[in-house]
Amino acid sequence: MKISVIGCGYLGSVHAASLASVGHDVIGIDVDADKIDALSQGRSPIFEPDLPELLSEGIASGRLRFSTNMADARDAELHFIAVGTPQSAGAGSADLSYVDGAFDDLVPYLTEGDVVVGKSTVPVGTAVTHVADVEARGAHLVWNPEFLREGFAVKDTIRPDRLVYGVAYGDEYSVQKLNEVYATAIESGSPVIVTDFATAELVKVSANAFLATKISFINAMAEIAEVTGADVTKLADAIGHDNRIGRKFLNAGVGFGGGCLPKDIRAFTARAEELGRGESVAFLKEVDAINLRRRERVVELVTEELGGSVFQKKVAVLGLAFKPNSDDVRDSPALDVAVRLNGLGAKVVATDPEAIANSRALHPQLVYGTTDEALAGADAVVVVTEWPEYKQLDPAAVHEVVRTPIVIDARNCLDADAWADAGWEYAGLGRQVKNGRA
Ligand code: UGA
């Protein structure tokens, strides 16, 4: 099928390359000329496993092209809207200007029988505001939210764990077109849920709200564990054995960040308030507050471990990305911790396998270096993103290069006993492992 993908960021670039890889003819469109240049040469503008290979294959096959010109969407019969919906400046609500702009630019090129497919995460009630413009061109509108996780984006796009189509009442035509687009995923077992616009929009934000709530729940338990001598990692293992609860997304630590969960729960709260149902999701404010408190707790722990002040102490901050296998530092707890410590006068040297360039663009005041540079002579080591290379560090070898063997495991990802055995003062979040066994 001939497909256009409007917006070539974390979502659109992966979506375009993945659709080309399953045989479609795809044009990716973005207003950012540098991004389009890179993508056209097969260079991925983001760090995402498997994406570079998919881009090169797609371009070589002739099935994947990129452009800054919306008129190039004219030949496509399906148009995916994959632009960002960031948090509005100074408010919790979603900034819909890119979505509105994409519709305004695309609508003049629509022809009879085209299907416009919204993928961007939007507040419930957004699709309905665009349907008249699309239908006036004889085209159809569907809302088809995306559930991909960064770091697994290609896999999640090619074989999603579910497909949700929000369609106008009785629009069988769009359902059939989307089933054709996703034929490979459907054949390999991805279930399809057909519903209305509002439900499709809500499925997306409620899924992210649930995930954020699960993480903040376990982080709230970490706060209780810290004052009672309990161990939150054992607690998570124990409650996670109950299938109704499940162990996934129960990792206590410095909390969630990224371009999705934080801004999505804030936008959901703002939208519910607009709808007069603020109280229904008032708990999401608490979820947000618990999450942000964990960043402060990490700073507190470092301060405590360093005897009450971080001033002039060298702190190695291992990790800047909001999670491993990503270079994304949007609302990253790791970067935030580095900035806070630096602000308190610590001599921070921050490192990350992929996210230094993005961090430097936001916070040029920080000192960045390699892992070795960060660790050399450090008074404390803080692991804030659980990259495999940090989990695999040899505590005995690292002991040789630091000044003081103090490690703060802000992701509870290290082998606490191994570090304690190698002579380290170990502090996790919500765990009693200091200088001893878990
Ligand atoms: C999230 C959702 O998981 C995706 O389903 C959704 O499609 C995406 O947002 C989106 O809306 O586009 P993502 O932002 O890639 O995906 O990251 P997650 O894997 O959900 O992790 C979010 C944050 O939670 C990370 O900072 C991670 O470190 C943290 N986290 C995750 C925890 O602190 N504890 C956990 O147990 C799990």
Side-chain angles (χ1 to χ4, degrees):
M1 299 175 93
K2 283 186 181 299
I3 294 174
S4 80
V5 177
I6 321 296
C8 295
Y10 283 95
L11 168 58
S13 61
V14 175
H15 198 63
S18 300
L19 289 176
S21 81
V22 294
H24 299 299
D25 189 351
V26 184
I27 175 104
I29 296 179
D30 199 291
V31 291
D32 182 337
D34 291 341
K35 197 182 279 178
I36 290 300
D37 261 4
L39 285 164
S40 302
Q41 291 163 35
R43 278 190 289 115
S44 171
I46 54 169
F47 176 83
E48 184 60 53
D50 304 329
L51 181 57
E53 294 78 4
L54 238 56
L55 285 172
S56 324
E57 284 164 25
I59 289 164
S61 71
R63 285 197 306 272
L64 181 61
R65 290 170 302 126
F66 292 94
S67 165
T68 52
N69 186 358
M70 188 63 92
D72 290 335
R74 195 184 262 127
D75 295 338
E77 52 180 321
L78 274 111
H79 310 271
F80 285 88
I81 306 282
V83 294
T85 51
Q87 189 173 335
S88 303
S93 56
D95 174 356
L96 291 177
S97 56
Y98 301 103
V99 171
D100 294 343
F103 272 96
D104 289 349
D105 295 348
L106 174 66
V107 162
Y109 297 107
L110 294 177
T111 52
E112 183 90 25
D114 281 5
V115 181
V116 180
V117 189
K119 288 209 83 67
S120 306
T121 300
V122 292
V124 56
T126 301
V128 81
T129 64
H130 294 289
V131 72
D133 287 347
V134 171
E135 288 182 355
R137 310 282 309 175
H140 301 244
L141 179 64
V142 182
W143 218 268
N144 167 226
E146 178 55 57
F147 304 100
L148 66 79
R149 298 159 298 167
E150 287 178 30
F152 302 92
V154 169
K155 189 175 145 283
D156 286 350
T157 305
I158 291 179
R159 173 65 171 90
D161 58 12
R162 78 285 210 192
L163 288 158
V164 176
Y165 309 162
V167 297
Y169 183 69
D171 186 3
E172 282 302 321
Y173 175 85
S174 295
V175 172
Q176 188 215 320
K177 287 284 174 192
L178 274 188
N179 282 344
E180 277 178 55
V181 173
Y182 293 127
T184 312
I186 295 170
E187 273 158 31
S188 47
S190 296
V192 177
I193 293 155
V194 180
T195 182
D196 50 79
F197 290 142
T199 307
E201 291 163 331
L202 263 181
V203 167
K204 169 66 197 209
V205 286
S206 61
N208 276 1
F210 191 88
L211 294 171
T213 303
K214 200 170 177 190
I215 299 167
S216 278
F217 174 83
I218 201 65
N219 282 330
M221 295 308 105
E223 293 185 335
I224 305 293
E226 278 158 17
V227 293
T228 53
D231 183 320
V232 75
T233 59
K234 294 262 164 65
L235 181 141
D237 290 344
I239 64 173
H241 280 299
D242 182 334
N243 281 339
R244 293 168 304 173
I245 296 173
R247 181 63 179 81
K248 289 181 183 163
F249 270 62
L250 278 186
N251 294 323
V254 68
F256 60 80
C260 304
L261 300 193
K263 63 111 176 147
D264 286 355
I265 58 169
R266 292 169 199 152
F268 195 8
T269 307
R271 182 65 183 135
E273 285 168 357
E274 271 172 26
L275 294 165
R277 285 289 180 273
E279 72 273 24
S280 305
V281 294
F283 67 93
L284 291 178
K285 288 191 177 162
E286 212 50 57
V287 165
D288 201 4
I290 294 165
N291 190 54
L292 295 176
R293 278 206 297 274
R294 291 284 81 191
R295 302 175 183 191
E296 193 50 46
R297 176 66 190 141
V298 173
V299 173
E300 241 174 57
L301 256 183
V302 179
T303 311
E304 279 167 24
E305 291 294 335
L306 287 172
S309 170
V310 299
F311 189 70
Q312 292 292 305
K313 298 282 173 61
K314 176 169 178 184
V315 181
V317 174
L318 305 190
L320 291 161
F322 84 108
K323 69 172 187 181
N325 288 314
S326 172
D327 62 355
D328 194 349
V329 295
R330 289 176 295 172
D331 212 336
S332 168
L335 180 56
D336 193 18
V337 164
V339 168
R340 287 177 195 227
L341 288 168
N342 195 59
L344 291 170
K347 292 189 207 156
V348 168
V349 180
T351 187
D352 189 282
E354 297 294 337
I356 291 180
N358 285 344
S359 303
R360 190 177 273 129
L362 285 179
H363 290 287
Q365 80 280 17
L366 283 182
V367 175
Y368 300 95
T370 61
T371 305
D372 287 346
E373 286 163 353
L375 293 173
D379 294 296
V381 177
V382 194
V383 179
V384 236
T385 311
E386 68 278 33
W387 283 95
E389 37 273 76
Y390 304 147
K391 296 202 302 198
Q392 285 152 18
L393 281 172
D394 173 1
V398 182
H399 195 302
E400 297 295 306
V401 300
V402 296
R403 206 164 81 88
T404 332
I406 296 172
V407 63
I408 289 87
D409 181 5
R411 288 288 182 182
N412 291 334
C413 64
L414 302 178
D415 179 341
D417 291 338
W419 284 74
D421 286 348
W424 286 79
E425 168 101 355
Y426 172 98
L429 284 189
R431 323 174 65 181
Q432 311 301 313
V433 208
K434 280 175 101 182
N435 264 349
R437 305 227 145 237

